[in-house]
Amino acid sequence: TILDELLATKEKKLFQPYRAPSWSRSYAEASDGLGSIAHDKGDWNVLYLILHNIDCTVNAKLFPNTMKALKCYDSRLYNHVFFSVMDPKTHIVKHHGPSNKKLRIHLPLIVPAKKSSSIRVGEERRIFEKGKCVVFDDSFEHEAWNDHPSQKRVCLIVDVWHPDLSDDEVKVFRFLEKAKMKRAKTVCLSQAETNEINQSTENFYSLIYNVREKLGNAALE
């Protein structure tokens, strides 16, 4: 199962801190100068299986059954799949995605006791239950909590194209998204060669690479 694959890798250093570009209006700038963070207490780490055109092959190979399960979405899979780990006493502050072209699926794999982990989307709040998916449009304001004093909360997060979009519309959006990401990656690599990356020019690519290089990865345990 997905959880079995995850637990089999728990001693490997695969997870990295979640970061967003400083200009993206996340909660606050990271104290280490690498982008911004989205939590006001605790800690939030992620493990990417699919992230647009960043090579996540090393990670994906460790989760063959998980990758096989994702094939059910076929062409409707948006290229953004990752494990999300909220440490004890963590709060991810209210935020929202850039558009409603996709839906976000949270599959809770490890859920703290005493109904201490939850998510709010718009005016609705849900308690995470192991194995029970939460699906929402992340263009709505949302925030998440893990209030347990000692247990982590772990979800597999999968983005899919919004079901109201036709296959042809998805093809157009996918083409535009690919072009945008390709340009961002090119800019990142160009800036890395000249050490010109700063708060105004950093993007998700530069952050992924810099966080991996400067902070390293952490294990799930």
Side-chain angles (χ1 to χ4, degrees), residues 21-62:
S22 299
W23 46 259
S24 66
R25 298 181 182 179
S26 289
Y27 170 67
E29 290 186 19
S31 59
D32 52 30
L34 295 176
S36 60
I37 59 175
H39 55 282
D40 58 5
K41 62 178 180 177
D43 206 6
W44 180 23
N45 293 282
V46 295
L47 191 171
Y48 293 106
L49 298 182
I50 301 175
L51 184 59
H52 299 292
N53 58 340
I54 288 181
D55 186 2
C56 298
T57 305
V58 173
N59 290 345
K61 283 183 176 180
L62 296 172

Side-chain angles (χ1 to χ4, degrees), residues 88-111:
K89 300 180 181 179
T90 294
H91 172 227
I92 298 175
V93 301
K94 59 185 181 181
H95 60 288
H96 59 82
S99 77
N100 64 349
K101 64 180 180 291
K102 60 183 174 66
L103 297 183
R104 174 153 291 182
I105 302 168
H106 282 228
L107 172 59
L109 300 171
I110 299 175
V111 178

Side-chain angles (χ1 to χ4, degrees), residues 73 103-106 121 132-138 158 160:
Y73 295 108
L103 297 183
R104 174 153 291 182
I105 302 168
H106 282 228
V121 181
K132 186 174 182 179
C133 287
V134 176
V135 184
F136 62 97
D137 178 342
D138 81 336
V158 180
V160 296

Side-chain angles (χ1 to χ4, degrees), residues 80-219:
H80 196 201
V81 179
F82 60 100
F83 290 104
S84 167
V85 178
M86 293 179 68
D87 277 2
K89 300 180 181 179
T90 294
H91 172 227
I92 298 175
V93 301
K94 59 185 181 181
H95 60 288
H96 59 82
S99 77
N100 64 349
K101 64 180 180 291
K102 60 183 174 66
L103 297 183
R104 174 153 291 182
I105 302 168
H106 282 228
L107 172 59
L109 300 171
I110 299 175
V111 178
K114 300 180 180 179
K115 298 182 178 181
S116 54
S117 181
S118 62
I119 186 170
R120 176 188 66 82
V121 181
E123 300 298 322
E124 298 185 38
R125 186 164 178 171
R126 294 285 185 271
I127 302 296
F128 283 113
E129 300 177 47
K130 183 178 178 180
K132 186 174 182 179
C133 287
V134 176
V135 184
F136 62 97
D137 178 342
D138 81 336
S139 66
F140 285 88
E141 182 183 271
H142 54 285
E143 60 185 315
W145 296 263
N146 178 15
D147 293 326
H148 199 279
S150 61
Q151 297 178 3
K152 298 177 183 286
R153 186 233 64 182
V154 183
C155 286
L156 176 66
I157 296 181
V158 180
D159 287 348
V160 296
W161 291 99
H162 199 289
D164 286 348
L165 293 174
S166 69
D167 288 344
D168 287 340
E169 288 171 328
V170 167
K171 288 179 181 178
V172 172
F173 279 118
R174 193 186 297 277
F175 173 81
L176 295 174
E177 194 77 16
K178 185 176 181 179
K180 182 179 72 174
M181 293 299 174
K182 184 177 180 179
R183 180 183 181 280
K185 188 173 184 178
T186 299
V187 169
C188 169
L189 295 175
S190 174
Q191 292 172 342
E193 292 177 357
T194 57
N195 293 317
E196 292 181 352
I197 296 176
N198 53 51
Q199 288 188 357
S200 63
T201 60
E202 71 180 4
N203 57 44
F204 287 98
Y205 287 99
S206 63
L207 277 175
I208 292 294
Y209 293 131
N210 283 336
V211 169
R212 285 177 179 172
E213 179 179 348
K214 297 180 180 180
L215 299 184
N217 289 348

